Every structure is written in structure tokens, then in C-alpha cells.
Amino acid sequence: MKNAVLFGLLVGSCLLLGEAAAQEPNRDAVLQFTLPEPREGEGDAAELRATHYVIWSVDRDSSASGVPLIDTSGRSIPGSELSARNWCQAANNGSVRISSGGSSRVYNFIRVGPREVVNCEPYFRSFIARDPDKNLPIVRGFGRSVWRAFGAEAPFGCGQNARILVPYRTIAAPPEMRGFSVYIPQARGRRVPTPTGGEVVHDGWFLAGDSGGDINNSRIDIFAGERWTGAFGFVDRKNASNQLVPVSARVFPSAHAVSRALEAVHPRHCR
């Protein structure tokens, strides 16, 4: 039942919109991925390099003797024990679902705390080596992560902007794009999975509702829920030089009607 409300609406009967994108979209259209295409010439053209991320999922039965997550008061969270590797990977992803005995709980990164709980450097050596001055502090911050548990109000946790994460809607983007909506024509018409096992046809729209230490310039990271199926061919695509291949997009400010509609289904539950 962790996502029944959100995706019950998402896979419901489609609402076909004849209004232009500048009109205030219907909430159902946002949840059902039926937002219309933007008008010709609307938005700022951009070339973006896209990757993806997922919520980290762990079976606690194999990690019960590990290191517990730390809450905002500096105390250990009972039932949250993880191996050092899973602890660090959860911090990298920003959220983790820990399952045990047929039930699960989502924990979300809140901030970097004052003390190191886990040394994460051994698990990110190649990332550190790419740019030690920049990336080593990021990795050291992983090991000082502070967490908070969430329930049905944020079934996939929240991004660094305190907004809930919505699979295939939320993207992590540079800070200057916070609250912006992004339209990617190559995403429109692609089938994406729902956590309940179904599929929906994507309308091409995303909200910059998260950020990250390695997200800057023209880089975006698409949140894919609990699993990545390769739904978008432009994601993680690299050229012969091992560089991400950019995809054409149109970017709209936070004041735009679609941006406001997308923000409405990304409420701030992680303040």
C-alpha cells in the first residue's frame, strides 16, 4: 500500500487536455502523465546530459548486525542497521527502503551531521579519483549523514529540496534550476513502469525537485523509483569518448503553469 494512492490516480482513466501548456493544468493530468506538449517556441532551449538514480533497497535480514542510521538528534534508529557498503550507497542515493518480515520503511537523508558514522571512502574510490578536491568532501559527507523515517506521505522519500520524489517525474538538477519544469521531447510517448507492475505513457515533462553533489552545469538525474528499466534511450548514453551525449530539452521557470502544477504533486514533506 506504500504507493497505492499516488499510482491509483496515476494509472486511472486518462484526461485528455486540449488546453495549451500555458493554461493551468489539471492535477489528474499531472499524475496520469497526460500533460500536453508546450507550444511552438515556448521555453528556453537546452542541451542536457541525463543519468538516472533509484531509491536504494535493502533486505534487513542480511544487514541486522550492521551500522544503524542516525536520526536528527544524533541517536541510532532502531531497525535501520545496514552494512557499511549499503549505508554509504544509501547516503549517495539520498533515500533507502529497508525491508524486513514483509514490511518496509523508507528513510531519507536530511543533512550532513557533525560526526562520522561510517568511512565511505573505500566504496567510492573511482568517484574520488575523478576530482579529489571536489569529490572527497562529498564522500566524507556520506558517512556523516543524518536520517529521518517517512511513511505514506512520502513513499519514495524526498529530495534535497524537501519535496517528495515521484518516479519518472522528479529530476535532480543544478541549484539554479530548482522548481523549474523540463520538457524532453524524446521522453514523450515512452512507456515507463509503475511500482504496481503496470505501465503509463510518459508525456515528456519533469520537475527539478532534487539536487545532488555531482549534479551541475547541464547534468540532470532522472528519479526512477525502485528500478531502472532503460525506458529512455537518451539516459546514460555515452559517445566514443565516454562522455554523456546531450539530449534536447526545453526549460520553463518555476512561475510557469506546468511548473506550478508539478510542484503541487511534489509537496514539501521533508522540512
Side-chain angles (χ1 to χ4, degrees), residues 179-200:
F180 284 24
S181 56
V182 176
Y183 179 75
I184 302 178
Q186 287 190 38
R188 190 173 185 86
R190 304 294 299 178
R191 293 187 174 275
V192 297
T194 69
T196 54
E199 284 187 332
V200 292

Side-chain angles (χ1 to χ4, degrees), residues 19-25 36-39 42 205 252 255-258 260:
E19 300 286 325
Q23 301 292 321
E24 195 71 40
E37 296 180 71
R39 291 185 295 217
E42 194 177 15
W205 288 95
F252 298 80
H256 189 270
V258 169
R260 293 197 304 269

Side-chain angles (χ1 to χ4, degrees), residues 4 14 34 62 65 121 130 188 209 214:
C14 288
T34 56
S62 64
S65 61
E121 293 178 41
R130 293 208 314 255
R188 190 173 185 86
D214 197 35

Side-chain angles (χ1 to χ4, degrees), residues 69-78 110-115 117 144-149:
L69 302 178
I70 303 301
D71 68 15
T72 53
S73 298
R75 296 188 293 263
S76 298
I77 301 175
I110 298 299
R111 62 175 181 268
V112 173
R115 67 181 179 93
V117 181
R144 304 201 311 272
S145 296
V146 171
W147 303 82
R148 179 181 164 192

Side-chain angles (χ1 to χ4, degrees), residues 109-181:
F109 168 87
I110 298 299
R111 62 175 181 268
V112 173
R115 67 181 179 93
E116 181 180 86
V117 181
V118 178
N119 176 16
C120 293
E121 293 178 41
Y123 311 111
F124 295 94
R125 294 194 189 281
S126 60
F127 173 65
I128 294 171
R130 293 208 314 255
D131 189 342
D133 290 341
K134 173 189 171 186
N135 295 341
L136 181 57
I138 293 174
V139 172
R140 287 177 173 169
F142 292 164
R144 304 201 311 272
S145 296
V146 171
W147 303 82
R148 179 181 164 192
F150 287 93
E153 76 278 13
F156 297 94
C158 294
Q160 289 192 18
N161 299 340
R163 297 189 180 279
I164 68 168
L165 298 172
V166 180
Y168 293 97
R169 267 300 190 213
T170 308
I171 59 172
E176 60 269 22
M177 289 177 61
R178 180 173 299 180
F180 284 24
S181 56

Side-chain angles (χ1 to χ4, degrees), residues 54 94 164 185 229:
V54 297
I164 68 168
T229 62

